[in-house]
Amino acid sequence: MIPIQRSFKGEKTAGKLYLVPTPIGNMQDMTLRSLETLKTVDLIAAEDTRNTQKLLNHFEIKVPQESFHEYNSFEKIPKLLTILESGQSIAQVSDAGMPSISDPGHDLVVEAIKRGIDVVALPGSSAGITALIASGLAPQPHIFYGFLPRKANEQKKFLETKRQYPETQIFYESPFRVADTLKNMVDVYGDRHVVLVRELTKIYEEYRRGKISEVLDSLTEQPIKGECLIIVSGADKEELEQVDSTVPPLEAVKILIEAGVKTNAAIKQVAKERGLNRQELYAQYHEL
């Protein structure tokens, strides 16, 4: 029988691990529930205690913190688990937005689950979803990737594997690398529709919408500063129908299937485009 977490029912001996979102720029986005949770837990595990202390001071919260980030998570997780197993509760926060996405919170979540400790996620600020719904690009389906590889060749290689995806794609990016990233995108994806978002929820919040080339031109005219997101449209129907002829037939079939084409239709399309026997390709795909 699989374990079932009933977060607020039944007697508990261990404390709870709360995943508490924090504002991505505007303090007023802090929810009442998040504030109450931070006030009542025994400890706050923070990505940067100095940054979180500003938040705690603003809302007059006097709960001790424990530093918990990518460079010390391996040594801190056992200590945090011991605290939770003793019956005390912990709120884990990142510098901004949802914890456990681009920080070591996920490792703590996994270990807590293994020990039967309740993990409770609170809803709140999320930069990727916030930007997506105001972008004007299709919100559903979408894929969130976080930060891309920094090196140009690795970045292009990554983008090449996603070129045939029909989903709207969400990326985080540094303002210092955003122009280079957009150049790599236009090289791999072609001149798709893109939205560049910066400084969400702050006074300088900005959306630049257009083709990738147009957004690139705007960066030359008006450089940007601040935290950025890139939201790019997925492959359209015309792009999905074009698979690089140098790609092996079976790989071409897989690309089409990943892009949403049904298996038999993908096999039929590749066989027709390449003059192959459809039944033989079908057999090869299914290893008959």
Side-chain angles (χ1 to χ4, degrees):
M1 182 181 293
I2 64 168
I4 299 174
Q5 173 182 318
R6 292 187 172 91
S7 304
F8 306 106
K9 291 189 176 183
E11 293 184 8
K12 313 282 183 177
T13 56
K16 287 184 173 63
L17 173 61
Y18 292 95
L19 305 179
V20 181
T22 52
I24 57 178
N26 191 321
M27 286 287 193
Q28 293 179 340
D29 290 335
M30 197 68 181
T31 69
L32 293 175
R33 185 182 175 201
S34 292
L35 289 173
E36 183 64 25
T37 300
L38 290 181
K39 290 177 182 177
T40 55
V41 293
D42 300 286
L43 181 69
I44 297 170
E47 182 179 5
D48 187 329
T49 55
R50 296 165 300 181
N51 187 65
T52 301
Q53 192 61 52
K54 295 175 184 177
L55 176 74
L56 300 183
N57 291 342
H58 183 82
F59 292 106
E60 300 180 347
I61 297 172
K62 302 183 183 300
V63 173
Q65 294 189 71
E66 181 80 25
S67 173
F68 181 60
H69 50 71
E70 62 178 318
Y71 301 109
N72 69 6
S73 62
F74 183 77
E75 60 186 72
K76 287 293 181 78
I77 285 177
K79 178 180 179 179
L80 296 175
L81 290 172
T82 299
I83 292 171
L84 288 164
E85 289 177 327
S86 74
Q88 295 180 292
S89 291
I90 295 175
Q92 198 252 319
V93 300
S94 64
D95 284 346
M98 282 289 184
S100 195
I101 294 179
S102 295
D103 54 57
H106 175 67
D107 297 327
L108 178 58
V109 168
V110 170
E111 293 304 316
I113 291 171
K114 286 180 182 178
R115 288 162 175 73
I117 297 168
D118 288 349
V119 178
V120 180
L122 276 61
S125 299
S126 173
I129 296 299
T130 302
L132 174 65
I133 60 173
S135 68
L137 299 180
Q140 195 175 14
H142 68 264
I143 300 179
F144 170 77
Y145 287 117
F147 285 97
L148 282 160
R150 293 191 177 190
K151 293 183 179 179
N153 60 333
E154 293 178 3
Q155 193 177 97
K156 283 187 174 182
K157 186 176 180 181
F158 177 87
L159 292 171
E160 190 63 49
T161 64
K162 315 303 176 188
R163 184 171 62 86
Q164 295 283 338
Y165 283 25
E167 298 88 354
T168 299
Q169 300 171 17
I170 307 169
F171 302 95
Y172 288 158
E173 191 51 282
S174 157
F176 306 107
R177 295 192 298 269
V178 70
D180 289 335
T181 295
L182 288 172
K183 288 174 185 174
N184 291 333
M185 279 188 174
V186 79
D187 287 345
V188 176
Y189 288 170
D191 206 8
R192 290 187 188 176
H193 287 284
V194 70
V195 180
L196 175 61
V197 188
R198 76 177 186 96
E199 294 293 87
L200 268 177
T201 77
K202 302 175 187 176
I203 191 68
Y204 294 109
E205 176 176 294
E206 182 179 284
Y207 287 77
R208 299 192 188 192
R209 303 177 176 93
K211 294 292 188 72
I212 298 177
S213 61
E214 294 171 335
V215 174
L216 271 170
D217 288 342
S218 78
L219 292 175
T220 302
E221 300 164 3
Q222 295 177 302
I224 59 170
K225 295 179 181 179
E227 298 297 321
C228 298
L229 293 100
I230 296 174
I231 307 176
V232 60
S233 60
D236 59 25
K237 185 177 180 181
E238 189 174 302
E239 288 179 276
L240 293 178
E241 291 173 352
Q242 298 173 358
V243 180
D244 191 338
S245 60
T246 63
V247 174
L250 291 178
E251 186 64 28
V253 171
K254 291 178 182 178
I255 289 173
L256 288 171
I257 292 172
E258 289 176 355
V261 180
K262 292 184 178 180
T263 302
N264 286 347
I267 292 171
K268 182 178 179 180
Q269 178 178 324
V270 172
K272 182 178 180 181
E273 289 175 350
R274 306 190 182 197
L276 302 174
N277 183 290
R278 181 173 59 83
Q279 292 179 330
E280 288 180 3
L281 185 59
Y282 181 92
Q284 290 173 17
Y285 179 81
H286 291 285
E287 297 180 344
L288 297 178

